[in-house]
């Protein structure tokens, strides 16, 4: 079955950086677009970044120029490099894939940006 193992979340000061990883299994990783979503308490889940199977990327306006999504198909892993972090980036970050029309989510990793 589809499984994800996310890591990299932490407490970081404003202006700092973090790198998230999501190792996937249970599907042919290289053939699917992968995304990172985030959800802060009391807020709706937000699409942060997407990378296609061919490496094309797209970002939410709120993170453009600060976050970079990438993938390593040999490791079945998608990454999210986050720079210049702001308190409003605080959220649980989840990786996501849509297979046969159904969304699949990781368990999430918590990112907290605070001084």
């Amino acid at each position: 079955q589809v499984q994800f193992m996310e890591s990299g979340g932490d407490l970081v000061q404003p202006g700092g950086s973090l790198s998230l990883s999501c190792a996937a299994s249970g599907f042919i990783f290289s053939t699917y677009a992968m995304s990172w979503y985030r959800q802060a308490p009391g807020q709706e889940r937000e699409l942060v970044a997407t990378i296609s199977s061919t490496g094309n990327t797209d970002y939410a306006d709120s993170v453009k120029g600060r976050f970079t999504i990438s993938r390593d198909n040999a490791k079945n892993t998608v990454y999210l490099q986050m720079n210049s972090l702001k308190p409003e980036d605080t959220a649980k970050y989840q990786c996501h894939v849509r297979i046969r029309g159904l969304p699949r989510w990781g368990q999430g990793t918590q990112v907290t940006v605070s001084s």
Side-chain angles (χ1 to χ4, degrees):
Q1 70 274 26
V2 174
Q3 290 185 323
F4 299 107
M5 183 167 293
E6 294 137 322
S7 61
D10 206 346
L11 170 63
V12 63
Q13 292 187 345
S17 297
L18 281 176
S19 182
L20 307 183
S21 299
C22 172
S25 61
F27 62 101
I28 304 174
F29 179 84
S30 62
T31 65
Y32 287 90
M34 297 295 300
S35 298
W36 284 97
Y37 281 75
R38 67 185 181 186
Q39 188 169 24
Q43 297 188 21
E44 292 188 358
R45 186 180 285 155
E46 174 190 20
L47 175 60
V48 175
T50 298
I51 185 165
S52 73
S53 59
T54 57
N56 293 323
T57 59
D58 194 23
Y59 298 92
D61 287 344
S62 58
V63 307
K64 278 181 182 177
R66 300 189 298 122
F67 290 12
T68 302
I69 188 170
S70 61
R71 65 190 299 158
D72 185 337
N73 289 336
K75 296 181 178 180
N76 285 4
T77 299
V78 60
Y79 305 95
L80 187 67
Q81 177 65 41
M82 305 184 295
N83 299 327
S84 302
L85 282 161
K86 305 175 181 180
E88 51 263 43
D89 295 318
T90 295
K92 182 173 72 172
Y93 285 71
Q94 296 174 280
C95 57
H96 165 275
V97 67
R98 185 173 294 272
I99 299 175
R100 299 186 186 93
L102 294 177
R104 306 295 182 99
W105 303 92
Q107 81 286 353
T109 186
Q110 179 66 36
V111 172
T112 302
V113 184
S114 175
S115 55

